[in-house]
Amino acid sequence: MRLLTFAAKKKGAPQRVGVMVGEAGVLPLRFKSMIELIEAGRKAVKLPRGKPLPLASVRVLAPIPRPRKNVFCVGWNYLEHFEEGARSRPQVTEIPKHPTFFTKQPLAVTGPYDRIPLHPGVTEKVDWEVELGVIIGRGGINIKEADAMKHVFGYTVINDVSAREVQRRHGQQWFKGKSLDGHCPMGPWIVTADQVKDWWDLRVTTRVNGVVKQDSNTRHMYFKIPRIIAELSAGLTLEPGDIISTGTPAGVGHARTPPEFLKTGDILETEIAGIGLLRNRIG
């Protein structure tokens, strides 16, 4: 089941929650928000009768347009990405023994087809990072690794857009450089966990203007999803609708020779096989 948040294209139209029917139809659901749906659970979703709305007739928003809390993120979770950034990170030479966590503030979240702002005067080095997003269903604290997947509601596509010089100028604290408004495109929907049996074997790609920049597979995650959930929830309550972005593979712009960054007019495509595709114009 693919669940999405959408609105009519006219200005000021209210947000609605729906389910995809086929490849081009949307059936509205009774829930007021995606978080309300997630709290009710997958089994509470009843397909309504009626003719689906054409997908082309609506504006697709991020599945959770305004998260209740920051998006949880995992850094350095693919070995090749850790290695490609070594030149700019002399203080950390070995991958940590535990997941590295940081967050992106809620206003960073934007839709799967929305423009991504460059914030001129704030940053000149905006970079891309394709990531598999995990949506928490059943909340909990001190979740055991063996039980972690029972707490997953579904999956989505995220690009952890990063302002590289801002990311590093604040004492190597990543929060600011990762949290600029509009720098977390997400969607286009949530694919429920029962439809994604092979989360450990999904192709992840980034393209800029049609050119492949990242091309890897979730099998190369260093810390797998159960470990991430277990360590994140240690002493920290996870709630329905919480979002975890699980890290990016090699191929980011700042590690290229010469470095590459996004510029006005670029088309950033972020794709995870079996989950979905984001297509965002830059600037």
Side-chain angles (χ1 to χ4, degrees):
M1 184 174 288
R2 292 173 294 168
L3 302 166
L4 71 161
T5 299
F6 68 96
K9 290 186 176 180
K10 64 181 180 180
K11 187 175 181 179
Q15 297 178 6
R16 305 178 71 183
V17 176
V19 59
M20 285 293 296
V21 178
E23 294 304 312
V26 182
L27 277 175
L29 299 173
R30 62 177 178 83
F31 300 95
K32 295 179 181 179
S33 70
M34 186 65 73
I35 289 179
E36 181 184 75
L37 186 159
I38 293 169
E39 287 176 331
R42 160 72 177 82
K43 293 181 180 179
V45 178
K46 307 296 182 184
L47 293 183
R49 297 179 180 178
K51 186 178 180 180
L53 299 171
L55 185 62
S57 71
V58 303
R59 180 185 173 202
V60 181
L61 309 175
I64 303 175
R66 184 68 179 271
R68 291 188 293 194
K69 61 179 72 166
N70 289 7
V71 177
F72 298 108
C73 302
V74 182
W76 300 331
N77 203 24
Y78 289 73
L79 287 178
E80 289 184 354
H81 175 57
F82 180 82
E83 292 166 358
E84 74 177 351
R87 287 176 298 176
S88 60
R89 192 193 58 248
Q91 76 280 10
V92 181
T93 58
E94 295 183 0
I95 197 162
K97 295 180 180 180
H98 300 272
T100 299
F101 294 118
F102 62 95
T103 66
K104 296 173 81 80
Q105 58 98 1
L107 287 179
V109 173
T110 192
Y113 312 121
D114 291 346
R115 287 180 176 264
I116 296 174
L118 284 176
H119 298 290
V122 176
T123 176
E124 301 298 328
K125 298 180 178 180
V126 177
D127 206 345
W128 55 81
E129 292 192 4
V130 56
E131 307 201 3
L132 176 65
V134 175
I135 310 299
I136 294 297
R138 178 157 58 95
I141 187 171
N142 299 325
I143 298 168
K144 295 180 180 179
E145 191 169 340
D147 297 328
M149 298 310 295
K150 298 175 184 177
H151 293 259
V152 174
F153 179 83
Y155 304 89
T156 193
V157 182
I158 292 175
N159 198 301
D160 177 22
V161 176
S162 304
R164 292 301 186 191
E165 77 276 48
V166 179
Q167 178 183 342
R168 293 185 171 84
R169 71 166 62 126
H170 294 275
Q172 293 295 327
Q173 295 292 318
W174 298 351
F175 170 75
K176 175 65 177 178
K178 297 281 193 171
S179 284
L180 301 187
D181 287 0
H183 278 196
C184 188
M186 181 185 305
W189 35 64
I190 295 171
V191 181
T192 52
D194 59 302
Q195 298 296 310
V196 187
K197 303 297 184 184
D198 54 351
W199 56 265
W200 57 86
D201 188 19
L202 301 174
R203 186 181 182 186
V204 295
T205 55
T206 298
R207 295 181 292 275
V208 178
N209 300 325
V211 178
V212 175
K213 300 297 184 180
Q214 292 178 284
D215 190 353
S216 188
N217 192 289
T218 56
R219 75 169 71 98
H220 300 304
M221 282 187 188
Y222 189 77
F223 298 107
K224 309 303 184 186
I225 292 172
R227 173 80 179 276
I228 291 169
I229 291 174
E231 294 223 20
L232 181 59
S233 70
L236 184 158
T237 299
L238 296 177
E239 299 177 299
D242 281 351
I243 304 163
I244 303 173
S245 197
T246 57
T248 199
V252 296
H254 81 93
R256 293 173 173 267
T257 305
E260 299 176 18
F261 300 105
L262 295 167
K263 60 186 184 299
T264 299
D266 284 348
I267 301 297
L268 175 65
E269 293 181 305
T270 313
E271 186 170 15
I272 299 181
I275 308 298
L277 168 70
L278 315 180
R279 191 175 192 273
N280 302 94
R281 184 177 293 274
I282 305 301

